[in-house]
Amino acid sequence: MTVDELLNKLRDAVERGDEEGADAAAKAALEANINPLDAVEKGLTPGIRYVGEQFEKRELYLPDLMLAARAMEFAMKILTVEIEKQGLEIKYEGRIILGTVQGDIHDIGKKLVATMLQARGFEVIDLGYDVATTTIVEKVKELKPDIVGLSAMMTSTMLKQGEVIQALRKEGITNVKVIIGGASVSEEWAKEIGAAGYGPDAEEAVRLAQHLVK
Ligand code: B1M
């Protein structure tokens, strides 16, 4: 198989949300001595970008996006080991730490935001849900992201978004931009707590992140 055919196999597996295919294509690419960075940037990335665009145009649906992201994760697991071994570096648009705030276990929307950001070339570190403010502050210190994204779905937990911003300030961390989203929050709330912005949905969250890292 030629290099182009192998890269197309990676892209195709992501577009079809085919985990096993993505896994096999990643292994085949490494066996053929394809640079693992090329496998990510010329194979997987165009695949997930295409799916992201089709999702925005409503040509594909949420399950398609989720399956594509999972297939990409499968291949990435294999390729990142080789990337690290070779000391190569993936070029990202920016680094984002995401999490649903403490006391809140809703994470479907946040996962969607994470997937869309990845599809647009961001490095996303998803801390999951019910994430303690102290954990977020520690992770910001450790990983120095460009952006922290906080999801809150309930009126009782949205207060935690403000708490995180205060905690970061208290630690003297002022260079990281905090963006917020979730069913119970709004642009006004973002202003009130001093967030850098609010995303009503995943697409707007991506646009906001792109604007903030410019
Ligand atoms: Co719960 N829940 N839930 N729930 N739940 C809501 C949020 C609620 C509005 C339902 C209702 O009463 N009408 C209500 C909150 C009311 C309020 O406070 N105003 C509620 C409640 C009360 C609860 C429990 C307390 C119920 C109970 O046990 N009595 C409990 C909470 C427990 C806890 O968190 N401690 C609970 C539990 C659950 C389930 C576990 C059953 C399940 C969550 C499963 C999961 O996430 N793994 C669940 C679900 C599914 C919902 C509803 C029905 C749907 C949420 C969802 O996934 N939407 C929800 C009702 C609703 O929202 N209308 C509800 C689909 C998703 C794609 O959209 O999450 O809005 P969404 O995300 C969007 C945007 O908000 C935005 O982009 C996303 C994609 O477009 N966005 C961001 C989200 N995060 C962002 C971050 C960003 C930017 C944009 O930047 C960082």
Side-chain angles (χ1 to χ4, degrees):
M1 230 185 266
T2 66
V3 170
D4 279 347
E5 281 169 342
L6 285 162
L7 292 174
N8 276 340
K9 249 184 169 314
L10 282 165
R11 178 185 173 143
D12 187 57
V14 172
E15 286 180 11
R16 285 185 296 107
D18 176 2
E19 292 166 8
E20 282 171 20
D23 185 280
K27 285 176 182 152
L30 292 182
E31 270 162 30
N33 283 325
I34 289 181
N35 179 323
L37 260 188
D38 284 348
V40 175
E41 284 164 6
K42 297 179 186 164
L44 300 178
T45 306
I48 193 78
R49 286 213 165 126
Y50 173 78
V51 175
E53 281 159 17
Q54 294 302 102
F55 177 76
E56 272 197 44
K57 288 187 202 155
R58 311 281 184 260
E59 301 282 341
L60 287 176
Y61 300 99
L62 183 56
D64 303 311
L65 185 63
M66 294 295 194
L67 285 174
R70 244 185 100 71
M72 177 145 178
E73 276 167 26
F74 264 66
M76 282 297 282
K77 248 185 220 156
I78 292 158
L79 296 170
T80 42
V81 172
E82 197 53 35
I83 287 169
E84 278 161 21
K85 226 195 259 172
Q86 295 185 21
L88 303 168
E89 213 176 290
I90 301 176
K91 278 204 182 72
Y92 290 109
E93 296 286 323
R95 176 180 283 182
I96 304 197
I97 285 184
L98 273 186
T100 302
V101 296
Q102 191 164 24
D104 199 323
I105 63 165
H106 296 89
D107 78 340
I108 296 170
K110 186 258 306 154
K111 272 190 183 158
L112 184 54
V113 173
T115 305
M116 292 293 282
L117 284 166
Q118 275 163 347
R120 292 292 192 236
F122 282 88
E123 180 187 11
V124 178
I125 297 119
D126 187 348
L127 300 180
Y129 55 85
D130 190 15
V131 187
T133 298
T134 49
T135 306
I136 297 169
V137 173
E138 284 313 310
K139 285 287 172 192
V140 169
K141 282 187 192 164
E142 181 192 335
L143 302 170
K144 301 190 175 36
D146 303 292
I147 297 173
V148 172
L150 304 171
S151 185
M153 291 292 288
M154 299 187 291
T155 40
S156 55
T157 54
M158 59 194 265
L159 299 170
K160 289 282 175 189
Q161 293 175 322
E163 184 183 288
V164 172
I165 293 173
Q166 289 304 321
L168 288 169
R169 283 191 187 146
K170 215 168 155 194
E171 291 288 327
I173 304 166
T174 50
N175 55 347
V176 65
K177 292 167 176 113
V178 179
I179 65 171
I180 63 162
S184 27
V185 305
S186 62
E187 188 77 55
E188 289 68 43
W189 176 243
K191 284 193 186 125
E192 198 177 324
I193 61 174
Y198 157 72
D201 57 34
E203 286 148 32
E204 283 304 319
V206 171
R207 273 189 269 280
L208 181 59
Q210 286 170 328
H211 171 72
L212 290 173
V213 296
K214 246 184 210 162

